[in-house]
Amino acid sequence: MVSRLSLPGVVFSIFLISSCFPCQAQLSSNFYDSTCPNALTTIRTAIRRAVSSERRMAASLIRLHFHDCFVQGCDTSIMLDNSPSIDSEKFSFVNNNSIRGFEVIDGAKAQVESICPGVVSCADIAAVAARDASVAVGGPSWTVRLGRRDSTKASRSLADSNIPRATNSFSELIDMFSRKGLSERDMVALSGSHSIGQARCVTFRARIHDNSSDIDAGFASTRRRSCPSTSGDGNNNLAPLDLVTPNCLDNNYFRNLIQRRGLLQSDQVLFSGQSTDSIVTEYSRNPSLFSTDFAAAMLRMGDIEPLTGSQGEIRRVCSVVN
């Protein structure tokens, strides 16, 4: 029997179908082709210069994009300074004295503003910067989808509740990534960014001093030299997340996990008898697969709840609303 729908029913059905497509469908790789054709080249030059000056900056820019996207979506709310109406995410527990690279995004934004005022969002610049930072340290490239707009608000409380911490358990990490629409494979691939960068002693002190069975004894001993057991002593001392190739975005991170040499507890839990063990093993053996999956996961992460159309604004300066 052929069913009949009333006009209101048809309209409602169309609404339901259209609501299944998230707003990131509005993002496009050629979004600025006509309005600011030199935007991507300008950003790439700025990022290359910054990473050439300090290799660690590549990790910081990827991390900045990650921490932004996990709070309110990829809207650069993370870059807003405190104001009477803004409770800055920069000073949340997970970001304070940890997130870096703001000045690099600000510099790239200023250069883009000089050629195309009020056109390119800080959110898009942060997304492109993460890709260009990856390429600058030997990691994969991907075609960034563009068209994000910038938030006019921030949330310190959401930053503390949504951004993963070094002490999170496996189940907590799975839940955090799942809530953002990211799979276990996405989570493991994105964690591979810890092949570059450094961590503060305060984030891994407990792991290297507890003599547990899930850490290689020699590795722990080496790391203790710059991270005393006394709380507060040497909190900000830095150690590379990957001792072997600390400035190259490669698959050595996964080999480290198999050898029980993950610096952060939240890294090692990915290879600890859990469902992600097989993914870690795959990536440790196949660098091309890791690169492909990392690029795909970065794309999916960059699509988390973007502001598009008339939402938000195009900030003239990334740290303040217009």
Side-chain angles (χ1 to χ4, degrees), residues 247-292:
N247 293 315
C248 183
L249 181 50
D250 56 21
N251 69 330
N252 199 66
Y253 164 83
F254 302 102
R255 298 193 189 103
N256 291 337
L257 298 187
I258 292 172
Q259 295 169 350
R260 296 181 295 126
R261 294 176 180 174
L263 184 59
L264 305 180
Q265 188 62 35
S266 56
D267 288 327
Q268 194 60 55
V269 295
L270 302 181
F271 192 82
S272 59
Q274 306 287 354
S275 56
T276 53
D277 282 15
S278 60
I279 304 174
V280 170
T281 300
E282 281 185 79
Y283 290 159
S284 73
R285 296 172 176 171
N286 192 334
S288 295
L289 177 62
F290 163 59
S291 291
T292 298

Side-chain angles (χ1 to χ4, degrees), residues 109-127:
K109 171 65 171 176
Q111 292 178 46
V112 172
E113 282 290 301
S114 70
I115 57 173
C116 308
V119 174
V120 182
S121 68
C122 299
D124 276 344
I125 291 174

Side-chain angles (χ1 to χ4, degrees), residues 42-43 46-47 103-113 125 129:
T42 302
I43 297 168
I47 301 310
E103 73 284 358
V104 176
I105 303 298
D106 285 334
K109 171 65 171 176
Q111 292 178 46
V112 172
E113 282 290 301
I125 291 174

Side-chain angles (χ1 to χ4, degrees), residues 72 146 214 229:
Q72 300 182 170
L146 304 163
D214 72 338
S229 60

Side-chain angles (χ1 to χ4, degrees), residues 51-67:
V51 175
S52 177
S53 176
E54 183 194 4
R55 297 284 285 181
R56 181 188 171 204
M57 186 54 68
S60 298
L61 292 172
I62 293 172
R63 190 161 178 255
L64 188 155
H65 182 44
F66 176 92
H67 279 222

Side-chain angles (χ1 to χ4, degrees), residues 203-215:
T203 64
F204 60 85
R205 172 182 284 118
R207 172 160 165 72
I208 64 172
H209 285 283
D210 68 1
N211 295 311
S212 65
S213 60
D214 72 338
I215 187 168

Side-chain angles (χ1 to χ4, degrees), residues 79-99:
M79 293 197 68
L80 288 171
D81 286 336
N82 272 328
S83 74
S85 62
I86 299 292
D87 191 16
S88 178
E89 295 167 21
K90 294 179 180 180
F91 302 103
S92 66
F93 177 83
V94 291
N95 288 333
N96 192 29
N97 297 319
S98 176
I99 290 297

